[in-house]
Amino acid sequence: IGVKGTTFQAMMGQMNVVPVLGTSFNEAFPILIALLVICNLLNVYSKLVQFFGLDALEFELSAPTASDSGDVLAEGRRLVERERRRRSEDRSLQLELNDRSSENRSIPLRAQIARLIEEGTLPQDWNASSPN
């Protein structure tokens, strides 16, 4: 552009020459990018591929058709239903586990100790050494 004395130039320094790519790179690169953007907007690549008959190089990122959108909707519904079933199974399992754990918590301590003594896990004189 040829504007000198900008704040950007003061911070970054003079950027009019890229030594590796030559002196005209700063002029050609923005034009190249603009050209690529215009080609992308006008869908030039697809037209060139069709013109030369190179359909094997065509990307599969085409716009969805009516039949494709129906397939996508059906697949989405299947995924949602599968996730709902999985979450409902998880909830029922969690409720079942909570019921089991609440049953264990509702047993009085004396009954739990008696059961442990019956199972042989706890000796009968387990409390003999504790002071009363």
Side-chain angles (χ1 to χ4, degrees):
I1 297 177
V3 179
K4 296 185 180 192
T6 63
T7 306
F8 183 79
Q9 280 183 347
M11 184 173 162
M12 298 298 290
Q14 189 99 10
M15 295 182 57
N16 60 359
V17 177
V18 178
V20 175
L21 301 174
T23 57
S24 62
F25 176 75
N26 288 335
E27 297 169 0
F29 187 70
I31 295 170
L32 176 67
I33 294 297
L35 183 65
L36 290 174
V37 167
I38 291 170
C39 289
N40 191 23
L41 289 173
L42 298 176
N43 203 15
V44 172
Y45 177 77
S46 296
K47 292 176 184 175
L48 284 175
V49 167
Q50 288 175 354
F51 177 75
F52 290 113
L54 302 171
D55 294 330
L57 299 176
E58 186 65 39
F59 292 118
E60 294 184 24
L61 300 174
S62 60
T65 61
S67 65
D68 289 342
S69 64
D71 293 342
V72 170
L73 289 174
E75 182 181 0
R77 287 187 181 113
R78 280 194 310 272
L79 290 172
V80 167
E81 276 304 311
R82 185 176 69 192
E83 186 64 20
R84 283 182 180 162
R85 277 195 309 273
R86 187 187 67 79
R87 287 185 180 199
S88 112
E89 290 171 359
D90 288 350
R91 275 192 216 111
S92 64
L93 179 64
Q94 187 63 35
L95 289 174
E96 185 179 325
L97 290 174
N98 286 343
D99 288 345
R100 287 182 184 172
S101 64
S102 66
E103 289 172 3
N104 289 342
R105 280 185 265 147
S106 64
I107 298 174
L109 182 60
R110 289 180 189 219
Q112 290 180 14
I113 291 172
R115 189 177 63 195
L116 289 173
I117 290 173
E118 288 173 8
E119 293 173 355
T121 308
L122 193 64
Q124 284 188 346
D125 61 342
W126 69 275
N127 200 16
S129 63
S130 65
N132 286 333

